[in-house]
Amino acid sequence: MITAQTEAERFIEWLERYNHHRNYSNLGQALLSWCSADGGVFRLDCDYAQFLQMIIAILLKSKGSLRVGVDVGKNMYRELPIPTSFEGWIPDQGDFFAALRQAIRDATRQV
């Protein structure tokens, strides 16, 4: 659970600290983007159960919404609401492993 809590903090920091030009319609989309764009899937040991624990930690830490950096240099943010139900936004295992495959492709391009 320590890894999940640490990565929940990293995810929240990633959302706030960097510019996100993609308009995430829900938290699940942002999470999948983080998995590949920030390599979070590797820090979670490519483990879907740890990913779900991280989601729980995010929900417990967040107070209503998360700030998403749009243009951090100009102090421009938008709010990403925390879901009020579990339906329709939690990435399933297939989505998680698709993000893992994308992260592997991205990592091999950088070498």
Side-chain angles (χ1 to χ4, degrees):
M1 190 65 154
I2 292 171
T3 298
Q5 291 172 341
T6 301
E7 293 309 314
E9 290 171 9
R10 280 185 161 177
F11 169 76
I12 292 168
E13 182 179 322
W14 174 80
L15 268 181
E16 292 182 347
R17 197 171 196 184
Y18 298 98
N19 294 336
H20 297 271
H21 301 291
R22 185 169 172 213
N23 189 17
Y24 307 123
S25 63
N26 61 49
L27 180 58
Q29 288 181 346
L31 285 162
L32 289 174
S33 180
W34 171 83
C35 279
S36 58
D38 197 45
V41 70
F42 299 125
R43 290 191 305 275
L44 291 170
D45 295 326
C46 307
D47 184 345
Y48 184 68
Q50 287 227 47
F51 179 67
L52 293 176
Q53 289 175 2
M54 185 187 90
I55 291 173
I56 292 167
I58 291 167
L59 295 175
L60 291 173
K61 285 182 154 309
S62 303
K63 306 289 184 226
S65 65
L66 296 167
R67 286 177 15 134
V68 179
V70 176
D71 190 342
V72 176
K74 294 182 181 176
N75 202 27
M76 294 174 59
Y77 295 88
R78 69 177 181 79
E79 299 294 315
L80 181 63
I82 297 298
T84 56
S85 73
F86 290 111
E87 192 171 329
W89 68 270
I90 296 177
D92 63 18
Q93 264 187 315
D95 294 332
F96 178 79
F97 288 113
L100 171 60
R101 288 189 296 276
Q102 182 61 48
I104 290 169
R105 282 191 296 273
D106 293 347
T108 56
R109 280 188 210 131
Q110 294 175 3
V111 175

